Amino acid sequence: MPMVERIETRLREAFAPSVLAVVDDSEAHRGHAGYQEGGESHFTVKIVSGAFQGQTRLARHRAVHNALGSEIIGRIHALAMDISAE
């Protein structure tokens, strides 16, 4: 399963978001640190969920990292996140 789908699945299961967009930005980083031929190294996530209500920015980022787990986090080089509560 492609990494974008794995990320989407984990985030949908953990947060039931009303908005979720996961973009593989790897090609924009060709020649930079962490780039892997074939992509799947740099991602941008936009997620909106009521589960983030009342959480600080840091707590939201930690929650996303925990939901993705060490297996996914360990395989990617960069993860940009735009996280909002409903």
Side-chain angles (χ1 to χ4, degrees):
M1 172 185 310
M3 187 61 73
V4 167
E5 290 179 21
R6 295 173 74 192
I7 292 170
E8 287 175 349
T9 298
R10 295 263 179 106
L11 295 179
R12 285 189 196 287
E13 289 173 354
F15 304 111
S18 59
V19 174
L20 178 61
V22 180
V23 178
D24 183 347
D25 294 323
S26 302
E27 192 56 37
H29 298 274
R30 182 179 284 277
H32 298 160
Y35 175 79
Q36 300 170 23
E37 194 62 45
E40 298 196 333
S41 61
H42 296 72
F43 295 89
T44 298
V45 170
K46 177 176 177 57
I47 184 169
V48 178
S49 173
F52 299 120
Q53 192 68 40
Q55 291 185 353
T56 65
R57 182 175 178 263
L58 180 59
R60 292 173 184 184
H61 280 247
R62 285 181 176 157
V64 168
H65 275 255
N66 287 338
L68 294 178
S70 60
E71 175 202 349
I72 289 176
I73 294 297
R75 291 188 57 203
I76 61 178
H77 179 73
L79 179 63
M81 295 183 274
D82 178 0
I83 307 170
S84 302
E86 291 184 292

